[in-house]
Amino acid sequence: MFKFLKVVLFGALLALGTMPVLGSSEPAAYNDAWWGSAPHDERVEFIAGYIDCAVYDQGDTQLAGAQWNVIEPEITRFYASHSKATNQTVPSLILSLGVKSHSNDHTSEQHSEKHGIFDGDYWRQITQLGRIGFVEGYLDCRRSKSQSPQFAAHSTAWYVSQIGNAYALTKEDDIDDNRASEKIATIIQKLVK
């Protein structure tokens, strides 16, 4: 009987240890395994969301102007050329590769307002997988830089749904023009208050 209880207890502890935190469906770490299984749109927009948070919420000026579509293939090449035992996470690679990914085009778009292009029109134009990636990247940055556990309180799918509702996004990806200028990050921040 005692041995049976030990097995049951061990099984319960193992199950609890592998369950996502607070109902979240995100992996414990955004690493090479996650990168290799994530679709392209999710990876690109993860970088965009992470950069949005790092630059505008965390003040990382070295990433201002970083190009997420340039960083994505660099991360892919890095993981392909290193052993599976690498401990480099996607966020650490964004930080190291992002400072090298700036455009040489001096006439590129400049945005004076906080969170730049990351508004409802941007949200409307990216794919569903891209939306998931953007939220994952933004939240991962916020969680890593903040003592704010409430950013882990909901699943990515919940945030994606709530952002769509905030923009009154239709199934055809039409958006309420009166809400389109609100920044994605502003909506996420309102959701955790």
Side-chain angles (χ1 to χ4, degrees):
M1 175 74 169
F2 183 73
K3 187 174 183 177
F4 173 74
L5 287 174
K6 282 174 56 176
V7 170
V8 169
L9 182 59
F10 177 76
L13 290 173
L14 183 63
L16 285 173
T18 60
M19 288 178 62
V21 176
L22 297 170
S24 171
S25 61
E26 286 78 41
Y30 294 101
N31 56 21
D32 59 337
W34 175 82
W35 189 261
S37 67
H40 179 263
D41 287 356
E42 186 176 359
R43 293 191 312 250
V44 170
E45 295 304 328
F46 179 95
I47 298 167
Y50 194 93
I51 289 172
D52 182 29
C53 165
V55 171
Y56 295 109
D57 295 342
Q58 309 301 332
D60 188 340
T61 57
Q62 291 185 337
L63 288 178
Q67 298 180 334
W68 46 97
N69 59 333
V70 172
I71 298 170
E72 189 275 335
E74 291 293 326
I75 293 174
T76 300
R77 278 191 285 280
F78 176 87
Y79 282 138
S81 66
H82 289 76
S83 76
K84 294 292 182 192
T86 184
N87 62 357
Q88 291 284 333
T89 64
V90 173
S92 70
L93 290 171
I94 292 170
L95 295 172
S96 64
L97 297 170
V99 297
K100 303 173 195 171
S101 73
H102 296 280
S103 173
N104 292 330
D105 180 5
H106 298 291
T107 62
S108 63
E109 290 184 50
Q110 300 296 319
H111 300 279
S112 59
E113 74 258 357
K114 193 172 180 180
H115 300 289
I117 65 170
F118 300 120
D119 60 11
D121 195 45
Y122 184 88
W123 186 258
R124 180 186 64 76
Q125 294 179 50
I126 59 178
T127 66
Q128 186 66 14
L129 290 171
R131 293 172 186 162
I132 290 167
F134 188 93
V135 169
E136 288 170 329
Y138 183 86
L139 292 177
D140 190 65
C141 170
R142 286 300 295 237
R143 285 184 205 121
S144 69
K145 307 282 186 190
S146 169
Q147 300 298 340
S148 186
Q150 67 265 32
F151 277 99
H154 300 287
S155 71
T156 299
W158 182 86
Y159 281 104
V160 170
S161 174
Q162 295 302 309
I163 294 166
N165 291 342
Y167 288 129
L169 206 62
T170 67
K171 289 181 182 181
E172 294 79 27
D173 288 333
D174 291 328
I175 193 168
D176 182 335
D177 289 337
N178 296 321
R179 300 179 187 186
S181 64
E182 188 167 18
K183 304 301 181 178
I184 299 165
T186 303
I187 294 170
I188 292 173
Q189 291 166 17
K190 286 178 183 178
L191 292 171
V192 295
K193 289 185 178 181

